[in-house]
Amino acid sequence: MPYVEIIKQLLADNSLSQQQLANILGVNQTTVSQWLLGRKKPGYDSILLLYEKFKITPNMLFGIEE
């Protein structure tokens, strides 16, 4: 689950709480928590915002080698 580790690293690198990331992405804090537990994957809109705000490509997020 590369996306779990990448999101955890994103929070640490940017000194963000789950709530702050949720606010940036326009999702609920519970959604971010579910991502971090590996129970849900980020949706299309969140993936686009992760790229726009943090330059994390979908391939990086899901561990797809180019």
Side-chain angles (χ1 to χ4, degrees):
M1 286 183 267
Y3 70 94
V4 173
E5 296 306 318
I6 289 172
I7 293 171
K8 285 180 182 177
Q9 191 65 46
L10 171 72
L11 293 173
D13 290 350
N14 293 281
S15 301
L16 294 172
S17 68
Q18 290 182 21
Q19 184 62 56
Q20 289 170 319
L21 180 60
N23 291 344
I24 290 168
L25 300 177
V27 298
N28 198 311
Q29 183 273 328
T30 305
T31 300
V32 174
S33 176
Q34 295 292 309
W35 296 344
L36 294 171
L37 293 171
R39 294 183 181 158
K40 288 179 79 175
K41 293 180 181 177
Y44 180 76
D45 291 339
S46 296
I47 292 169
L48 287 177
L49 284 172
L50 283 167
Y51 176 69
E52 287 177 13
K53 303 287 186 184
F54 302 103
K55 302 305 180 214
I56 296 172
T57 68
N59 285 355
M60 291 167 57
L61 191 62
F62 293 107
I64 299 169
E65 294 186 28
E66 296 184 31

